[in-house]
Amino acid sequence: MRGNPGRTATLDATSGAAAQVRSTLEAVFDAVAETRADTAALLARMAAEGRRPASADLAALRPGLHLRLAQDELVSGIGFVAAPGLLGDVPAWLEWWQSGPDGDVRPLLLDLDPARSAYGDYTHWDWFALPRDTGRRTVTGPYVDYLCSDEYSLTLSVPVTVQGRFAGVAAADVYLRHFEAAVLPLLQGLPAPAHLVNARGRVAASADPAHLAGSLTRGPDFRAVLDGARPGHSHGMRLMPCDAIPLVLVVAES
């Protein structure tokens, strides 16, 4: 039986585009993983000393955070977000640094007192809750990041554990406009309309006018596609997981 050359070419193009999306975001996840490693090592040292960490102790993370902001042009903000109760002096804390409009590095300064601030409880937001609950790395958004930048953003996050206990998340922000600039040429080069979605079906970038960035793609079980790490089909769409990146490339089928 002879194969379908056109279908094979489409599959190859889709697979190649998914691999390039993976390459684009893997460097950001590398920066997040380095932040997790630094944080876990710091917290483990303090546990070995028999003392509870305080917010001032997290200043030791700053040289690494500043370096990662300078090294990866996609990273607009990066840091560690502590689980409530981890620190002895404050109920919640973000050791978070971001690039300013002039390329300077500046801290994120927030009032996290739950009695005064709407940001006092960040534990329900997906970028915190999903790594905590699943133990997996996560791509959240795009969403308007009112906490850090007021920019339409993606957040890449991973859980931080110390002695088997969840301590918080290491994370990095990527402005959507920068992510789209990196991946839209890949999507536009495919032979059919295409877009990228996260595990919950939220569109992260799109070259398909029927699926705009920030909207939801309903129907397929994108988490199952990611868990299976295998291409699939659903509702007239080809679904291609982006390897170890928790995004699915969705391409319309004729």
Side-chain angles (χ1 to χ4, degrees):
M1 179 180 292
R2 299 177 63 184
N4 184 329
R7 183 174 181 178
T8 300
T10 298
L11 180 61
D12 289 346
T14 303
S15 178
Q20 291 182 70
V21 171
R22 174 190 180 280
S23 179
T24 297
L25 282 186
E26 197 62 65
V28 180
F29 268 121
D30 285 346
V32 174
E34 291 168 1
T35 300
R36 173 170 62 181
D38 285 355
T39 306
L42 175 65
L43 296 176
R45 286 197 302 271
M46 285 182 282
E49 295 168 2
R51 67 185 186 91
R52 189 176 178 187
S55 56
D57 293 313
L58 299 180
L61 302 175
R62 294 174 186 175
L65 299 178
H66 295 179
L67 179 62
R68 287 161 211 139
L69 274 173
Q71 285 179 331
D72 194 316
E73 61 184 13
L74 275 183
V75 176
S76 59
I78 191 167
F80 169 67
V81 184
L86 175 72
L87 305 177
D89 60 327
V90 289
W93 188 262
L94 287 83
E95 185 60 44
W96 194 266
W97 292 75
Q98 51 197 19
S99 297
D102 299 322
D104 56 319
V105 176
R106 57 183 65 179
L108 176 66
L109 302 175
L110 292 173
D111 179 1
L112 294 176
D113 186 334
R116 299 191 304 265
S117 173
Y119 306 122
D121 180 12
Y122 43 69
T123 61
H124 61 285
W125 292 349
D126 280 355
W127 52 261
F128 189 93
L130 291 177
R132 177 196 62 200
D133 297 344
T134 67
R136 300 171 178 171
R137 60 185 187 172
T138 299
V139 176
T140 302
Y143 63 100
V144 179
D145 187 1
Y146 293 113
L147 183 67
C148 297
S149 64
D150 292 334
E151 285 261 4
Y152 219 33
S153 301
L154 302 172
T155 299
L156 286 63
S157 53
V158 300
V160 177
T161 58
V162 179
Q163 299 177 334
R165 298 182 62 182
F166 176 74
V169 301
D173 285 340
V174 175
Y175 290 153
L176 182 64
R177 52 190 168 90
H178 293 162
F179 179 63
E180 288 182 322
V183 301
L184 275 181
L186 305 175
L187 304 184
Q188 292 166 342
L190 291 171
H195 60 286
L196 288 162
V197 301
N198 64 16
R200 293 196 169 181
R202 183 76 60 186
V203 179
S206 179
D208 183 348
H211 297 275
L212 301 179
S215 65
L216 283 172
T217 297
R218 303 186 184 277
D221 184 346
F222 296 110
R223 169 53 66 190
V225 174
L226 292 170
D227 288 346
R230 297 179 60 183
H233 303 265
S234 179
H235 298 77
M237 295 177 282
R238 180 182 298 278
L239 311 176
M240 180 70 68
C242 296
D243 299 323
I245 296 295
L247 291 176
V248 176
L249 176 57
V250 181
V251 183
E253 293 184 313
S254 57

